Amino acid sequence: MDPNTRKMMLLIGLSCLWLQVLSEVMADDSYLNEVQNAAPLSCSEGFTELGFYNGSVSQTDSGAPCLRWAEFPDYVLQYPGRGLGEHSYCRNPDRESNPWCFFRQTSGAIGWAYCDCHQGAARLVGGTSSGSGRVEVYLNGQWGAVCDSHWTDRDASVICRQLGLGEIGTALQQSRFGSGSGLFHYERLSCRGDESSVSQCQSRTFVTGDCSHGNEAGVVCAPPEGSGLPLRLVGGEEYFEGRVEVFHSGRWGSVCDDQWDDRDAEVICRQLGFGGVAKAWSWAHFGQSSGPILLDAVRCTGNEVFLDQCLHGDWEQHNCDHMEDAGVSCSPYTDGVVRLVGGDSPWEGRVEVFHSGYWGTVCDDHWTQQHTQVVCRQLGYSYPSR
């Protein structure tokens, strides 16, 4: 189906609420750029026998995040049983040969575009084996590097997992595997460590021009030497908080909260390289794990460098269930810091304020645009005058 035909169908099929913005719908077929040596992300892998795409790609070929199909109820009704619903995955309900989705343009208008299943692919270049090399990510038709100024083992582990090269990665800086083309895509990834691909790292930021040759991030898909058992934090709102998970005998598992206190949290934060105030959380504060419980009765003095230097029970010996999964926060925040939660973009959401170690909401009694302007200004966002 050509773009003009689809545009006409959209104008007919969607509610009047969308008629004005859909007049600006545009298509972009730059997805035809050929990609070589990409990670195994192929649209062909997601097609059903009936010709419908059922994969998990959720970005357009220009990198824009797809909108949820449920935001277009008339279109969902027009194509029942075609996999549309409460998700933002690319689809082809009209049996178009390439999956596509709706997205929000910079102007605020709603557009549609084809999806590039190589978008967000990763590769390792210049290494001595398939499990090492300079990290390059494919975005907008080009391979680009990641800046090493905020590069961590958590980021490296996600790259290795995405490439099917294991669960653990070691981050290397200073262009250990040589310099690339000079193009950088990301200034930082800020992965939690449990994501399955780079595109799921919610706090990633695009490069601002501070990176140059000699700052390309590299990875070796193997545990770092002399750094203790691998750890990660899962399920938190921020990258520095979450359920504690440790990697042992080829598996990630949680820690029981028996005898869990701030001294244990202090060691976790130190091993992960986080400053701020260390706080222990109990009773699965950051959600329950679906994996094994690997440790119980952890007793740190608070001076250890690595968690495995603390006294603890035998591996996988415990009397706990996942309601007792231990967590930590390594908060760099001070009272009065604000954040936005639950929005579709970083600049919108429920207002929460940090106070006495906790995040809390703000009641909307007497809430005005002046208050909104203050929040936006504090977060570094502009607020349009009305």
Side-chain angles (χ1 to χ4, degrees):
M1 180 186 301
D2 62 75
N4 290 329
T5 303
R6 177 177 286 118
K7 185 193 300 183
M8 182 62 66
M9 290 185 64
L10 292 175
L11 289 170
I12 295 174
L14 296 180
S15 65
C16 293
L17 176 64
W18 295 101
L19 287 179
Q20 181 175 357
V21 295
L22 283 174
S23 66
E24 301 181 39
V25 165
M26 299 175 62
D28 180 1
D29 57 4
S30 61
Y31 72 97
L32 295 173
N33 292 330
E34 183 179 357
V35 183
Q36 297 179 348
N37 302 320
L41 293 171
S42 171
C43 288
S44 62
E45 296 177 5
F47 275 94
T48 66
E49 293 181 359
L50 298 177
F52 297 114
Y53 178 71
N54 197 35
S56 58
V57 174
S58 59
Q59 295 183 77
T60 70
D61 54 1
S62 62
C66 295
L67 297 174
R68 292 183 304 113
W69 290 98
E71 296 182 42
F72 307 91
D74 289 347
Y75 200 81
V76 174
L77 291 174
Q78 183 180 347
Y79 289 104
R82 302 290 175 87
L84 309 182
E86 289 287 346
H87 63 79
S88 58
Y89 299 133
C90 300
R91 291 291 182 260
N92 63 332
D94 46 6
R95 281 197 174 92
E96 181 74 34
S97 59
N98 291 288
W100 56 277
C101 71
F102 296 112
F103 73 101
R104 191 175 301 280
Q105 300 177 17
T106 54
S107 65
I110 303 300
W112 72 270
Y114 290 119
C115 298
D116 184 352
C117 294
H118 293 289
Q119 188 79 6
R123 68 181 182 184
L124 302 181
V125 181
T128 56
S129 69
S130 60
S132 65
R134 180 178 66 253
V135 175
E136 293 188 353
V137 180
Y138 182 81
L139 291 177
N140 306 330
Q142 293 180 295
W143 289 101
V146 178
C147 191
D148 65 4
S149 55
H150 304 283
W151 184 241
T152 68
D153 290 341
R154 297 182 299 279
D155 302 324
S157 295
V158 172
I159 293 290
C160 294
R161 185 177 302 118
Q162 178 173 342
L163 293 173
L165 297 173
E167 286 289 311
I168 305 297
T170 299
L172 299 176
Q173 285 85 20
Q174 298 180 335
S175 299
R176 185 75 62 87
F177 299 101
S179 299
S181 65
L183 174 65
F184 285 83
H185 282 320
Y186 289 116
E187 180 173 327
R188 68 169 71 189
L189 294 182
S190 298
C191 300
R192 301 178 187 275
D194 65 323
E195 299 91 342
S196 60
S197 67
V198 170
S199 61
Q200 295 177 352
C201 298
Q202 298 297 318
S203 299
R204 64 192 189 279
T205 56
F206 293 101
V207 71
T208 58
D210 296 331
C211 296
S212 61
H213 277 310
N215 294 118
E216 285 92 346
V219 66
V220 173
C221 294
E225 297 180 1
S227 59
L229 290 166
L231 299 176
R232 68 184 185 186
L233 303 181
V234 180
E237 288 283 349
E238 305 279 2
Y239 66 90
F240 49 78
E241 64 181 10
R243 180 177 65 251
V244 176
E245 293 192 353
V246 60
F247 190 75
H248 178 71
S249 297
R251 295 184 299 169
W252 286 101
S254 59
V255 178
C256 182
D257 64 8
D258 290 347
Q259 304 181 52
W260 189 251
D261 59 27
D262 289 347
R263 290 172 295 183
D264 305 316
E266 192 169 337
V267 175
I268 295 290
C269 295
R270 182 180 300 122
Q271 179 173 340
L272 291 174
F274 294 141
V277 178
K279 179 177 176 58
W281 295 89
S282 303
W283 295 106
H285 180 81
F286 296 103
Q288 299 183 25
S289 169
S290 59
I293 298 174
L294 293 180
L295 279 180
D296 189 13
V298 175
R299 301 180 300 282
C300 300
T301 66
N303 296 319
E304 296 87 351
V305 178
F306 307 124
L307 179 65
D308 56 358
Q309 295 174 337
C310 302
L311 294 175
H312 58 77
D314 294 334
W315 288 101
E316 299 189 54
Q317 299 299 311
H318 60 85
N319 59 350
C320 310
D321 60 35
H322 283 302
M323 290 179 60
E324 300 170 85
D325 284 344
V328 305
S329 59
C330 313
S331 176
Y333 293 143
T334 56
D335 286 358
V337 172
V338 297
R339 70 180 182 185
L340 302 179
V341 179
D344 291 329
S345 64
W347 53 83
E348 63 180 6
R350 180 179 66 252
V351 177
E352 294 190 354
V353 182
F354 189 79
H355 179 71
S356 297
Y358 294 89
W359 286 102
T361 58
V362 178
C363 180
D364 65 2
D365 289 349
H366 311 295
W367 186 257
T368 68
Q369 288 189 6
Q370 287 180 313
H371 300 121
T372 302
Q373 289 174 348
V374 172
V375 171
C376 292
R377 189 179 304 120
Q378 182 171 344
L379 292 171
Y381 297 127
S382 60
Y383 184 79
S385 59
R386 297 181 183 276

